[in-house]
Amino acid sequence: MKPFALPLAFKRTAIVGALATATLLQAPLTLAEELRIGYQRSSTLMSVLRNNNSLEDKLAEQGVTIDWYEFTSGLPMLESLNVGNIDISADVADTVPIFAQAAGADLTFYASEAPSPGGQALIVLEDSDIETLEDLAGKRITVTRGAGNHYLLIAALESVGLTLDDVRVSYLPPADARAAFAQGNVDAWIAWEPFLSTSRATLETRTITDGSDGLASYTRYYLAATPYVEANPEVISTVYEALNEAGNWVNENPEEAAELLAPLWGNLDPDIVQTANLNRSYDVQPVTLEGLGEQQKIADAFFAADILPHAVDATDSPIWQPGE
């Protein structure tokens, strides 16, 4: 199956508009004999399941087959989920569902990973004159618009009385951001895994902050088309159980997991992959309303920064629970 990918929309109007259009186009789904899964190259647990065929084996017992669709990032994956081209998604950063909610997308949370605050960090080159968050004033910082690192930047600046207006922000996708950072074209970069560990291993860097000090929990969420969940709860239950097993396996077998993932992540050094995995919890858990508190903080921050066109209630999406 060829990868199915849509271009990433960087402007808020394009992101939200595309999702809103998708909402109108989505057709009702009925009891399925097929499960279409969207994932990214960095979707660790789904990549493990795709590689070992364990999810296929479990679903085959239910008469369900799997088609896999690869995406470049989370936003186009949720666009495709909402338009009905796929049925469920692999993990996305905590900021991504908020754009879908802003567009009224009919999506359901079906799993999350426990927070991984060390999974993203604001880094500078070793010889930088930036020592503290206050030193960021007037500096060039690169993040990906609407991504988890975008929120970490807002939260970090706010913690020292600064705003986005006090810095010069370059919105770049990760690969371009890394190149700009390595070449000294920006002063700082908020990178996430595995880009973070790769940069730390191959460049001389210093970390100014990450989410570990309470700025950003960096929770990963798994979503599904609501009509699919309603028609196929037993399939969702099987996926949830398989993700839980995959998360346990990665944490219990770090070296083997790194060897498996290294070629899938662009032939990275397995040692770098193992280091990157240490910054992710891979602890699959149910989503709860109480746990969406930080989602609301993100939504409010993005609205205040004019990244979202209107206020968003982060709890205004169905939540599937194990046993349903």
Side-chain angles (χ1 to χ4, degrees), residues 32-33 57-64 233-239:
E33 297 179 354
D57 293 341
K58 291 176 183 294
L59 289 178
E61 298 176 3
Q62 299 171 225
V64 177
E234 71 288 346
V235 174
I236 301 300
S237 180
T238 299
V239 173

Side-chain angles (χ1 to χ4, degrees), residues 69 124 135 137 153 278:
Y69 295 84
V124 298
D135 295 334
L153 175 60
L278 290 175

Side-chain angles (χ1 to χ4, degrees), residues 85-104:
N85 285 332
I86 59 174
D87 303 311
I88 70 172
S89 79
D91 57 299
V92 294
D94 43 17
T95 58
V96 178
I98 291 169
F99 288 100
Q101 291 172 317

Side-chain angles (χ1 to χ4, degrees), residues 51-130:
N51 183 270
N52 65 19
N53 295 316
S54 60
L55 184 56
E56 275 94 344
D57 293 341
K58 291 176 183 294
L59 289 178
E61 298 176 3
Q62 299 171 225
V64 177
T65 61
I66 298 178
D67 278 335
W68 299 89
Y69 295 84
E70 183 178 342
F71 290 81
T72 56
S73 61
L75 287 171
M77 183 162 64
L78 290 199
E79 289 173 9
S80 188
L81 180 65
N82 192 44
V83 78
N85 285 332
I86 59 174
D87 303 311
I88 70 172
S89 79
D91 57 299
V92 294
D94 43 17
T95 58
V96 178
I98 291 169
F99 288 100
Q101 291 172 317
D106 191 13
L107 305 179
T108 293
F109 291 98
Y110 73 91
S112 66
E113 292 178 15
S116 301
Q120 56 180 355
L122 193 157
I123 59 175
V124 298
L125 294 176
E126 181 63 41
D127 60 359
S128 171
D129 61 355
I130 298 173

Side-chain angles (χ1 to χ4, degrees), residues 133-134 154-162 215:
L133 290 175
E134 288 87 349
I154 293 173
L157 293 173
E158 186 179 66
S159 72
V160 293
L162 300 175
L215 292 177

Side-chain angles (χ1 to χ4, degrees), residues 176-188:
D176 293 341
R178 186 187 186 283
F181 177 72
Q183 294 165 10
N185 294 329
V186 295
D187 300 302

Side-chain angles (χ1 to χ4, degrees), residues 93-95 98 101 115-117 120 148 151-152 155 211-221 288-302 312 314-315:
D94 43 17
T95 58
I98 291 169
Q101 291 172 317
S116 301
Q120 56 180 355
Y151 174 68
L152 177 55
S212 299
D213 50 10
L215 292 177
S217 296
Y218 195 51
T219 300
R220 310 286 297 184
Y221 289 99
T288 65
L289 282 176
E290 295 77 14
L292 293 176
E294 183 161 311
Q295 289 294 97
Q296 192 61 57
K297 291 182 180 179
I298 296 171
D300 293 344
F302 276 4
V312 170
T315 65

